[in-house]
Amino acid sequence: MTGAYSSLPMVTSAVIYLLALIAHAIEWASARRPVAVPELVGAGAGAGAGNGTPAPTASEPSTTDDPAEHRVTLFGRIGVALTLIAALSHVAGVVLRGVAAERFPWGNMYEFVTSSLAFAAVFYLVVVWRKGWTWLGLPVTLLLSVGQGLAVTVFYVAIAPLVPALHSVWFIIHIVAAAIAGAAFNVAAIAAILYLIRQRAEEKGTLSGYLARLPHSSTLDDFSFRLHRFAFPLWTFTILAGAVWADYAWGRFWGWDPKETWSLVTWVVYAAYLHARVTAGWKGRRAAWLAVVGVATFWFNFIGVNLLAVGLHSYAGI
């Protein structure tokens, strides 16, 4: 019975994230006015976006007495408000799951996924609060609605006691660091994908629809880079904390378990991303694609390994 008190807010959050996604989709669809980008292609704006050199910002559509512009603003605010309500319900569900289980709610993949998505939702809302960047709303709510929907329908398992290997403070430290790093990696990847879309439109010389409202491609590229710089040390610490926990639980720091191996693969991809940007001058398109590869390895490690591989981390399966 106690588990139902945590399941209800989880399901509620999945539904409200979907409503937020719909609101943001209407927001994007309402912005149809094309915006010319003078001198961007001919003056080498495509190259500037590719090498990180700031380029002129595209002119913003006028918002004076335009019903379409008011509709964009309205649905953007509705989307953020719905995301905030969903996040509160989501966090409540995570907390209630822990209360019902009388432990930290990270004992299986359902609990890992819901907790990590809660971190991602909070991370996004902090960015919106500090920067006012509601343009992140559509891709973020897509991630949250799909992820939370899968969690409550496919990954759900009943509350059960922790297996002995999880009774360690290092397990808690390991999971929290991984969840925060994952939230930053996902938002950074979203920024990289939006960079690729916007930069291509800039090269063509005309921005239309909601793309015209996004920051310039160089700003998106820099934002993605800063988030990766924040997340990578946390992911490094996640692996180190996991090694200490593995020594406590299994008597060895490293054993090439599938989860450990793919954690290292993810680390190598992100290390290559940062190394290429700092030393080889990789910016723009190549770095953005490497960021997409990085988040793909992260999610395969996070979910795919649990479903497809058998190892010492198999307790985290559904």
Side-chain angles (χ1 to χ4, degrees):
M1 181 64 182
T2 54
Y5 291 112
S6 66
S7 298
L8 179 59
M10 291 291 195
V11 174
T12 300
S13 68
V15 173
I16 301 177
Y17 282 137
L18 180 59
L19 295 176
L21 172 63
I22 293 171
H24 282 299
I26 296 173
E27 175 195 11
W28 279 54
S30 298
R32 300 194 182 101
R33 178 177 298 179
V35 178
V37 188
E39 305 299 328
L40 286 185
V41 175
N51 61 21
T53 303
T57 303
S59 58
E60 293 293 333
S62 172
T63 59
T64 305
D65 297 327
D66 188 339
E69 299 302 324
H70 291 300
R71 187 162 58 250
V72 171
T73 302
L74 173 63
F75 279 99
R77 290 175 178 173
I78 291 174
V80 173
L82 287 171
T83 305
L84 175 60
I85 295 170
L88 291 173
S89 178
H90 191 167
V91 172
V94 171
V95 172
L96 289 173
R97 176 81 175 191
V99 171
E102 299 181 344
R103 56 172 172 77
F104 286 98
W106 303 317
N108 49 65
M109 193 166 74
Y110 166 73
E111 294 174 356
F112 293 158
V113 170
T114 53
S115 296
S116 297
L117 288 173
F119 275 103
V122 172
F123 193 94
Y124 158 70
L125 289 169
V126 169
V127 171
V128 171
W129 173 61
R130 290 180 60 88
K131 299 285 190 179
W133 286 353
T134 60
W135 48 267
L136 281 168
L138 181 64
V140 168
T141 53
L142 175 62
L143 170 68
L144 294 172
S145 58
V146 172
Q148 192 73 341
L150 287 173
V152 299
T153 57
V154 178
F155 300 150
Y156 178 80
V157 293
I159 294 173
L162 288 178
V163 298
L166 301 185
H167 289 281
S168 169
V169 67
W170 283 104
F171 165 70
I172 298 170
I173 295 171
H174 171 73
I175 293 299
V176 171
I180 296 174
F185 280 145
N186 276 275
V187 177
I190 287 171
I193 292 169
L194 291 176
Y195 160 81
L196 290 168
I197 298 171
R198 162 111 190 186
Q199 196 266 342
R200 182 176 178 83
E202 289 173 0
E203 283 186 339
K204 293 181 177 179
T206 301
L207 293 169
S208 62
Y210 204 86
L211 285 180
R213 300 172 179 275
L214 299 182
H216 192 273
S217 59
S218 60
T219 302
L220 292 169
D221 186 42
D222 181 65
F223 176 62
S224 179
F225 179 42
R226 285 187 284 120
L227 285 181
H228 280 101
R229 285 187 299 178
F230 165 76
F232 181 72
L234 275 175
W235 188 251
T236 303
F237 176 75
T238 297
I239 294 176
L240 295 176
V244 174
W245 164 41
D247 183 58
Y248 169 86
W250 302 309
R252 90 290 188 278
F253 289 101
W254 192 267
W256 297 104
D257 181 79
K259 180 73 73 171
E260 295 169 348
T261 301
W262 275 95
S263 294
L264 179 61
V265 170
T266 302
W267 185 90
V268 169
V269 172
Y270 282 120
Y273 168 88
L274 293 174
H275 177 76
R277 290 205 61 137
V278 173
T279 63
W282 274 31
K283 300 183 188 301
R285 203 173 281 173
R286 290 181 296 179
W289 279 115
L290 198 52
V292 173
V293 172
V295 83
T297 63
F298 171 84
W299 276 107
F300 182 79
N301 176 48
F302 202 61
I303 293 179
V305 171
N306 290 345
L307 299 177
L308 301 177
V310 177
L312 291 173
H313 290 77
S314 295
Y315 58 78
I318 59 175

